[in-house]
Structures are given as structure tokens and as C-alpha cells.
Amino acid sequence: NLILADKNLPSLNLLADELETIHGIKTVRLHQDLSEENASRDCLDKVKEIDFRLMIYVPAFSPVGKFAEYSAEEIDQFLSLNIRTPVHIVHSFLKRQQKGQRCGIILMSSLAGLLGPALAAPYAATKAFSLIFSESLFYELENDRIDMLACCAGPTSTPTYWNSKPRNQGKIIEIMQPLDVTIYALKMLGKRPFCIPGWKNRLFYYFLTRVIPRKIAGTLVSKSMLKMYPDL
């Protein structure tokens, strides 16, 4: 059974109906804009009577562009949706758990959070926050039967990714399917503080962080981004 939160009510209902029909499960539907100031409190208040022990935070604000050209409102969206809400919702989720009760938390981070690529400054920085936040909690909570994981996914075939209109993509980075990312993340939960779905992405991470200097790695990643988005 699933609790689903989305600000797009038609999409939320469509997905929930599909899951209920195909898998014979029950869903609780939360029509909620997770960038709002009290989003975490509002969500958890609505499900306070339900004993759920796995929380997965996927939403992110992720437009590609030059930092100086973002509006002040867009900067606030990066901070609200990518940092403030997940921090508060993790905090509230942990406080509602009974001591000794096994539970898990997965935050969607990104390969972009491992380096600082051009055209992704606020996104990469907020995803780096998710990674370090999850890593710290992994070690803090490991003796409390609470599993914490940051999933550092690379490019994933979602509407958000394709709507950014990437071009000139090379074959080094693997564009993964959401199901494969999900299966790998669930498999790694409880085993390590962060995971990187896709063997090509793991190899790419190893090369950029262990083999070549960070400055060269940053240059390579930024050149790749600039080729993918030549019109920005």
C-alpha cells in the first residue's frame, strides 16, 4: 500500500488508479505542492494515523540554465523543494517512529551533486546537500534500525529530463529507466549511505573522483553539459 503526494491532481489520480488496478493495493492520495513552507507538516498531519515505515522523497526543482538568469522565485524553488521540505519531512518522519522499529528513508540525490557542472549550479549544490545529509544520518542512525540512503542517479528517462531538451549526448553516461533506478535503490537501502544506479555511471564516478584531478573532472563534466545545452 502506498501514500502518494503530488501537486498535479489529475496525474496523481491517474497513477493511483493504475497502481490499485494492476497490483490490487490501496493508496492514500495527498494533493500537495511540496515547495510550500508547511508542506512536510501538512503531508504528515494527513497520514498521522497510518503506520508507514518507508519514506522516499523524489521531487526536485531542476531546470537547466545559467545561474544569473534564474529569477529570485526560481532560486527559492530550488531551496524549498530540494532542501527545506526534505529536511523537515525526514525530521518529522523520524520523530514519529517508535524506538527500535525498523524503517527506511531514501532521498533522490544526483550524479550532478558529486561535482559542480556548468548550467546546474543550484541544482547540483542542493543535490550535494542531500548526499551529505543522508551520509551523516546513515552513520547517526545505523544503530537505531533506521536505514538512510541517497540515490545518486544519473540522467533518467523521465518527462522532466526530456523536457530540458538535451542534445549531443555521449555514450559515457547511461540514461536509465526509472524502474531500474528504483530497483537498485531499494536493493542498496541499508547497505551503504549512497548508491549510484547503472554500472556505466559507477565507472564514470570512479574515473572522475579517483583517477583524474578534480579540476580536470569538473572541466570534462562542464564541457559535456555545454554540449548538451548549446543554446543556453
Side-chain angles (χ1 to χ4, degrees):
N1 298 327
L2 294 171
I3 300 168
L4 304 172
D6 198 327
K7 70 176 182 179
N8 187 321
L9 185 57
S11 294
L12 173 62
N13 286 330
L14 185 66
L15 175 61
D17 289 342
E18 181 181 351
L19 291 170
E20 289 179 358
T21 300
I22 294 175
H23 300 288
I25 64 169
K26 296 178 182 179
T27 64
V28 175
R29 309 172 191 196
L30 304 181
H31 183 212
Q32 179 71 52
D33 182 348
L34 289 167
S35 67
E36 293 178 349
E37 184 174 353
N38 295 318
S40 60
R41 184 196 65 193
D42 292 343
C43 280
L44 291 177
D45 279 351
K46 293 172 184 174
V47 294
K48 59 185 177 182
E49 303 300 327
I50 301 175
D51 178 26
F52 66 96
R53 282 173 267 171
L54 175 62
M55 197 277 290
I56 303 173
Y57 189 88
V58 179
F61 189 64
S62 57
V64 178
K66 295 180 179 177
F67 179 69
E69 296 178 1
Y70 290 121
S71 67
E73 291 75 18
E74 287 175 317
I75 296 298
D76 284 339
Q77 281 283 90
F78 279 112
L79 298 174
S80 298
L81 196 58
N82 299 6
I83 294 181
R84 186 185 65 205
T85 296
V87 166
H88 279 291
I89 209 165
V90 167
H91 181 256
S92 298
F93 176 78
L94 290 174
K95 289 180 76 68
R96 64 174 277 162
Q97 301 305 316
Q98 298 178 15
K99 188 173 183 180
Q101 186 180 54
R102 190 66 180 268
C103 63
I105 303 168
I106 299 176
L107 299 184
M108 285 302 299
S109 184
S110 171
L111 279 180
L114 302 173
L115 291 165
L119 304 180
Y123 175 74
T126 55
K127 289 304 179 180
F129 177 91
S130 293
L131 172 59
I132 299 302
F133 179 64
S134 298
E135 189 172 32
S136 295
L137 287 180
F138 173 86
Y139 295 109
E140 182 177 319
L141 301 171
E142 62 180 343
N143 293 327
D144 298 326
R145 294 174 57 81
I146 300 173
D147 299 321
M148 186 81 192
L149 177 74
C151 179
C152 299
T156 306
S157 184
T158 64
T160 298
Y161 176 72
W162 294 116
N163 287 341
S164 71
K165 297 179 172 57
R167 293 195 286 165
N168 307 314
Q169 299 171 88
K171 296 182 179 180
I172 297 178
I173 289 291
E174 181 179 4
I175 300 176
M176 297 191 66
Q177 294 301 314
L179 179 60
D180 296 326
V181 173
T182 304
I183 290 172
Y184 187 77
L186 290 171
K187 187 183 298 183
M188 292 297 106
L189 180 63
K191 296 180 180 178
R192 58 189 63 177
F194 75 95
C195 71
I196 301 174
W199 70 267
K200 286 185 179 180
N201 293 335
R202 291 192 291 276
L203 183 62
F204 189 61
Y205 163 76
Y206 182 85
F207 176 73
L208 290 178
T209 60
R210 306 291 178 86
V211 177
I212 62 176
R214 186 175 179 86
K215 182 177 180 180
I216 296 176
T219 299
L220 290 174
V221 172
S222 292
K223 284 184 176 180
S224 177
M225 281 289 289
L226 292 168
K227 286 181 180 179
M228 289 173 62
Y229 300 97
D231 299 327
L232 296 178

